[in-house]
Amino acid sequence: RKESSAASDVYKRQKQNIVKLASQLQIIRDIVNSPIKINSGFRCEKYNRHIGGVKRSQHLLGKASDIVVAGLDPYTETHPLFDELMDCGELLQGGLGRYKKFTHYDFRKTRKRWG
C-alpha cells in the first residue's frame, strides 16, 4: 500500500526529529562518559494513549525521550545537568521533567520545567 504524501512528510519530520534528539543525547553521553538508557522515545498515538501519555506529547513528534544515565541519579543529578546545559546553550532548549526513576528531555522551542 502506498503512503499518502502528507503521511510521508509527517514520518520524514519524525525521523529528522529522532536523529536530532539522538545527537542531543550523544552530547550528554560524551560529557558524562556513561551509557544512556532510553526508557521511552518516539511513540505512535495508539501506544501513547495506551500508557496514558498526554495528547500533545513531544514523544509523538519524535522530539522527546525519557532516559536514565548510568551512574547518575535522575532526580538529583541528571535533571540539573540537563538544565544547566540547556541554560548555557550546549543543548537545545525545551522541556525537562524530573522524576524519581528517569529524566524527561525534549527539544520543543520553549523552556518548560516540571517535577
Side-chain angles (χ1 to χ4, degrees), residues 14-37:
Q14 289 168 337
K15 183 178 177 183
Q16 289 170 343
N17 289 338
I18 292 166
V19 169
K20 194 173 192 177
L21 178 62
S23 72
Q24 295 299 292
L25 295 177
Q26 185 63 46
I27 292 168
I28 294 292
R29 190 169 171 257
D30 290 344
I31 288 170
V32 298
N33 197 27
S34 292
I36 294 176
K37 177 183 175 192

Side-chain angles (χ1 to χ4, degrees), residues 34-87:
S34 292
I36 294 176
K37 177 183 175 192
I38 300 172
N39 294 341
S40 184
F42 170 75
R43 300 177 191 157
C44 68
E45 288 184 27
K46 183 177 178 181
Y47 182 70
N48 192 58
R49 275 193 309 274
H50 173 74
I51 63 167
V54 298
K55 276 187 176 182
R56 297 179 54 110
S57 171
Q58 296 295 305
H59 289 276
L60 298 170
L61 304 173
K63 291 183 171 186
S65 61
D66 298 336
I67 65 159
V68 176
V69 178
L72 297 182
D73 179 85
Y75 196 84
T76 63
E77 295 175 300
T78 305
H79 184 279
L81 175 62
F82 270 75
D83 199 26
E84 179 183 327
L85 292 171
M86 281 192 275
D87 284 348

